[in-house]
Every structure is written in C-alpha cells, then in structure tokens.
Amino acid sequence: MAFNYRFIDLSAAEKQARRQTLDKYALYAQLSALLPMLVLLSYRLGKRLALSRGSRGDYDVIPSSPVLKERRNSNAGTWSSKSKRARWWLGEDVVLGGMVLGQRDHYLHLTKRFGAVAVSQYPLQYLLALKSLNPVAYLLQSSHEQINRWHRVLARVTTTLLCLHVAFYWGFFILKDRLDRLEDPVVIAGILAFTALNILISTALRPVRRYSYRVFFIIHLVLGITIPFMLMIHAAPGRIFLFEALGVFFLDLASRRLDTATGNATVETIPGTNLVKISASIPQSKVNRFRGNPGSHIYLSVPAAARKSMSAASASHLLFEFLFNPFTVAEVSEDNGDLTLIARHCGGPMTAALGRFASAAKPNSADSADEDEKIPLSIEGPYGAASRFPQLCSEFDRILLVAGGVGATFTLPLYRSIVSENPGARVEMVWAIRSAGDATWAVTGKEAQALLKDDNIHIFITGDIVDPEGTEPLRQNRTAEQTANGSGAGDDDQGEVEMNAMFRDRRRGRYTAQHNRKRPDLKNIVDDLFKHGQEERVAVLVCGPSEMARELREHVGVWVRKGRSVWWHKEGFGF
C-alpha cells in the first residue's frame, strides 16, 4: 500500500493475539471515557471536605469590602478571573474532532480497531441519553436535556470511526479480491447494521427533527434497540459492550415506568390564544417532589384509557404509545396538589389531542369538573436541573430571570420560590409575550394580585396590533370564568381593573401598554444588572426562544470577560 499499510497473513495464534490486543484497546477506550468523571467526582468530594474544614471561623465578606478588592487585584485574583472566562468559553457551543491512529504496518489491525473502539463507546453513548438514571447528569449537576448534546457529539465520533471501519474493509475486499465475503452472514449483519445506523443518523439531523420530531423519535428508539443485536452477530468480541449499552437502556426504561403515575385531569383552552391549560392530579406521595423543585418538568403521555375513541389497531392508537411530550410544571396547587401545565398548540399530535380534549370538555371550572368528565393522563417525572440548582437566595447577590412566551412556566415558579424564601432578595423577572392573552394563566387565580403589584416583574408585549391595550384576551377569559361561575357585572368591573393593573406603571402613574409594546432591551437590562458592584455574584436563568437566549448570553458574556462571576442556566427541550 502506498500509505505504508500492508495486508499480512496471520496464523491462528497471531489472530488470537490480535484479537486480545483489539479487545484491550476497546477496554482502554471505554475506561478512558469514565476517567474524567472520576476525576471530577474526586475534585468535588475534596472541595466539599475542604470547605467543611475551612468554614469554621470565617465570615462572609460584603461585596464592597476592600478585602475582596485586594484579592481581585492579586495574582490569585487575576488567575481566578481568567479561569472564570475560560469556564464561560468552555460553556459555549464547541465541536471537537480527532482521529485514532493505528499501527503503520497492519492494515486489518487498524481497520478492526476503528470498529472495536467505536463499539466500546456505545455504553457511554447510551448512558448519556438516559432520562431517569443518568449518572453523568447527576455528577455535573445538570439535566438529561443538557447532557444529551454530548450524546450527539459522541454519536458523531463513533459514527465516524464506523465509517472508517467500513471504508477500510471495502478497500480490503476489493484489493484482495475477497468480494465473496459479502455473502457471509457475519458481513451481511454488519452491512445491515451500518445501513440502519445511516438511517438513524439521517433522521436525527436538525431539519428532520424540526419537521417531525415523532419520526426522529420512533426511528431512533426502534433502531437504537435493533442495531446492537445486528452488531452482536457481526462482531462477537464486542458483545459485552453491546449488552452493557442495552442493559443501561432497559434499566432506565424500567425506572421511568415505575415513576409514571396516571391521574385525572381537566383540559381547557385559554381564550384568544393557542394555549391549553392542563390541571392534573397526582398521587400525594409525589406532590412534595414537585413542590420542592420549582422549575422542574414532566413527560406527559395519553394512556389507552383516554383513547377509547380510537381503534386499537389504528395507526393513531399506536402512535400515542410513542408520544412523551415535555411540559414544565407552572404551578403546584396548595389546596389539592394538582399540577398546572401550559401547552402551546404547534400542530403536533400531542397538543392537537389536548386541544380536542379541551373542545369536548364542558364549560366548567377545573375545580368543579366531575371526575367522570376528567381525562386520564400519565405523568412521568419530575425531571430537570432545577433540583440540582445552587441555593439561589443565599449564594447570589442578584438574580435575573428571563422568559419568552410559555418559558415563564419555568421562571415564574422559581421567582415565587425565591421571594417566598427571601422577600428581600434582589431578583427580577423579564417576560416577553406575543399578546396579553399569553399571560392569562399567570394573572388569574389566588396569586394574581401579588403578581400584578410586583415591581420586579416586567412584562413586554410584542404583538396585539388590533388590540392596542392588549387586554381583550384577558377580558374574554374573565368573561368565560364569570359565565361558568355565574358571577355578575360587579365582578367584571373588578376583573377589568386587575387586567389594567397588569400594565400600570405605579412609579410613573400611567399605563404602560404602549410603553411595553416592544421587545425587551436585553443589553440595557443586563448592563443595569451588573452596574451595582464589581464583587456581586450574579445568577442569570433564561427559558425561551433560542435567539433570545443567544442574545442574552452575548450581553452577559461581555461582563464575564471583564472578570464578573456569573452562574448561567438555559432551560429548554430542544434536541
């Protein structure tokens, strides 16, 4: 071969030695992926031990203390500032690439090692995709949605290695005139597995996921289970890795099934919007898990009991067996522990089904609906990184929560929790919505008055050209509630005052419907957040469109590069 690789005829003993060497490289590759996690775990344990020993006798230094300024100007402070910028840079979207080189004189050794190393990473690749039993998410104090990006990165690496494995074997078959090997069952299994892998990778591309997430999910699930069995036939030495991968997958699936509860729910539309409100009951044993983790989310599915109108043999009935949509818990009722979920109808089968349930429901309030009229829904969770957040009230001097649309289902529970724990906390929430109706679910109910009078919640309306005051959807919702409850005109006047108060600027003594009828100036908001003190610790959390989160991060990054300490979290379900 021109590139210094040769085809070598080996004896049986030499082939056995080659196999042992390949298995050794595969094991090393798998263990090397676990090494960084062990190092991180050891670091955290050591840090926790050091803090527990060193905290005695220390005192909390105020942000404007000269002691902190002296630390910041010292060599250690300079290094700390650089490390903050480095950590922030590492949090950006980064694509890493590389190649594993083999022995220069053994073509088949290199060819086989490409495949062996790729398959050895499958247990970790499956582990990174788990929802319930994801040790990497726990170790990194994150959620499976955040870890899933590394699942995709590792998938690209392993797929690249397998493509090289296939390409090199094709070269071997052609150059050595061994195309007859294509009829061997072992080779056929490999070709089928590689074909299925290409289908899986193609349907996982972002355009396909955006066009039909359901197509991506079903193909990913079916082929993700099928491909390992094909590879077991193709490469017997790699079976241990494939069994590990399938083992963690099915173990996680069993855990998710055990953590799924089915309860009755009321589903109603929010007038003037494409939003659907779900009030679902859950077992009391799970209520405290949701109350203790504001900002968490669940996976919602429609059980067979709610699909009686569908034929058991129909494609629609089968489709719902694969529907598990994530929704953030907007509220946990203090009275009965019911969960409130807000869904926007975007044309998908799940939100379409919820819309049909809402249209078929009688115009009663959620509290007065009969049990027979409620819809059984299955709820799995809670999930999310909220359960692993730092103590926002005590660890940060200022907190900024930014939401777009239904993203407030994440930020509003966090805001309420922070204020409840520390009424004097310096926390602000910015909420951008298309129309006033999008805020209806948050400004009605027992806590509506407190929300409307809160100066630290800033709502920006970016739509409602026809209704300049932006209150018509709110009036429609209030009227619908009064009709259902039999309330009179006096209540209507009171409701209109509440809705107008939503847009009243009490500091300027005038309405701000026109003033806030624009997109929030995130740059000014961020600059105002950081202008108070150089040593203040700041937390920024965002949930909304990717463009909004990207712009916000750019503005926050300016201050991080100046040496400011920032804890950042972006909540989202985008895969």
Side-chain angles (χ1 to χ4, degrees), residues 250-304:
F250 285 114
L251 188 63
D252 181 77
L253 184 62
S255 175
R256 293 177 58 188
R257 290 291 185 182
L258 293 174
D259 199 32
T260 299
T262 300
N264 294 327
T266 57
V267 186
E268 55 184 317
T269 58
I270 297 179
T273 71
N274 60 349
L275 300 180
V276 177
K277 179 180 178 180
I278 304 106
S279 299
S281 60
I282 59 173
Q284 287 298 318
S285 59
K286 298 189 67 174
V287 171
N288 290 335
R289 292 173 59 189
F290 285 96
R291 282 180 176 160
N293 299 309
S296 59
H297 64 269
I298 58 94
Y299 280 85
L300 186 73
S301 59
V302 181

Side-chain angles (χ1 to χ4, degrees), residues 306-561:
R307 295 180 262 135
K308 296 179 180 179
S309 60
M310 301 180 185
S311 171
S314 65
S316 299
H317 190 279
L318 180 62
L319 175 64
F320 275 92
E321 295 294 330
F322 297 93
L323 289 179
F324 304 92
N325 283 41
F327 296 104
T328 304
V329 179
E331 184 181 10
V332 182
S333 173
E334 294 293 337
D335 298 330
N336 52 22
D338 285 0
L339 304 183
T340 297
L341 313 173
I342 305 297
R344 186 181 297 279
H345 183 20
C346 298
M350 174 62 77
T351 53
L354 294 174
R356 289 194 298 271
F357 293 149
S359 301
K362 295 181 180 179
N364 296 325
S365 66
D367 297 332
S368 63
D370 297 333
E371 289 296 324
D372 294 339
E373 298 176 358
K374 293 185 177 181
I375 306 298
L377 295 175
S378 295
I379 293 177
E380 174 195 336
Y383 289 114
S387 62
R388 305 183 183 100
F389 281 173
Q391 294 295 323
L392 296 176
C393 292
S394 59
E395 296 187 25
F396 300 100
D397 301 297
R398 295 187 184 274
I399 306 168
L400 174 64
L401 306 172
V402 180
V406 293
T409 56
F410 169 75
T411 58
L412 189 56
L414 284 176
Y415 180 87
R416 287 170 171 166
S417 175
I418 293 170
V419 174
S420 175
E421 293 181 19
N422 182 10
R426 288 174 287 191
V427 53
E428 293 195 13
M429 174 176 160
V430 175
W431 186 8
I433 53 178
R434 298 174 183 174
S435 66
D438 289 346
T440 304
W441 60 270
V443 298
T444 55
K446 295 182 178 180
E447 298 185 1
Q449 285 292 336
L451 179 66
L452 295 173
K453 295 179 180 179
D454 198 327
D455 288 330
N456 293 323
I457 296 181
H458 313 283
I459 301 178
F460 294 82
I461 303 175
T462 61
D464 278 346
I465 301 301
V466 177
D467 178 24
E469 289 298 320
T471 58
E472 183 59 29
L474 295 174
R475 294 191 184 96
Q476 293 177 6
N477 186 69
R478 173 67 66 175
T479 303
E481 290 181 356
Q482 293 164 357
T483 302
N485 299 329
S487 55
D491 294 328
D492 181 68
D493 294 339
Q494 181 181 359
E496 185 170 335
V497 171
E498 291 180 0
M499 289 181 288
N500 284 335
M502 173 181 172
F503 308 105
R504 186 187 300 274
D505 188 333
R506 288 166 294 282
R507 290 165 293 185
R508 295 181 177 86
R510 61 182 179 85
Y511 292 103
T512 58
Q514 296 295 331
H515 176 72
N516 282 342
R517 282 182 45 76
K518 61 180 181 180
R519 297 183 183 277
D521 190 334
L522 296 179
K523 182 179 184 304
N524 287 341
I525 292 172
V526 170
D527 291 345
D528 184 66
L529 177 71
F530 285 96
K531 71 180 182 181
H532 300 280
Q534 178 70 19
E535 306 299 338
E536 284 189 340
R537 300 159 299 178
V538 177
V540 180
L541 300 91
V542 58
C543 183
S546 57
E547 294 81 5
M548 169 186 280
R550 192 178 300 113
E551 179 185 353
L552 180 66
R553 185 176 176 88
E554 289 178 359
H555 297 317
V556 175
V558 172
W559 290 92
V560 173
R561 286 184 283 274

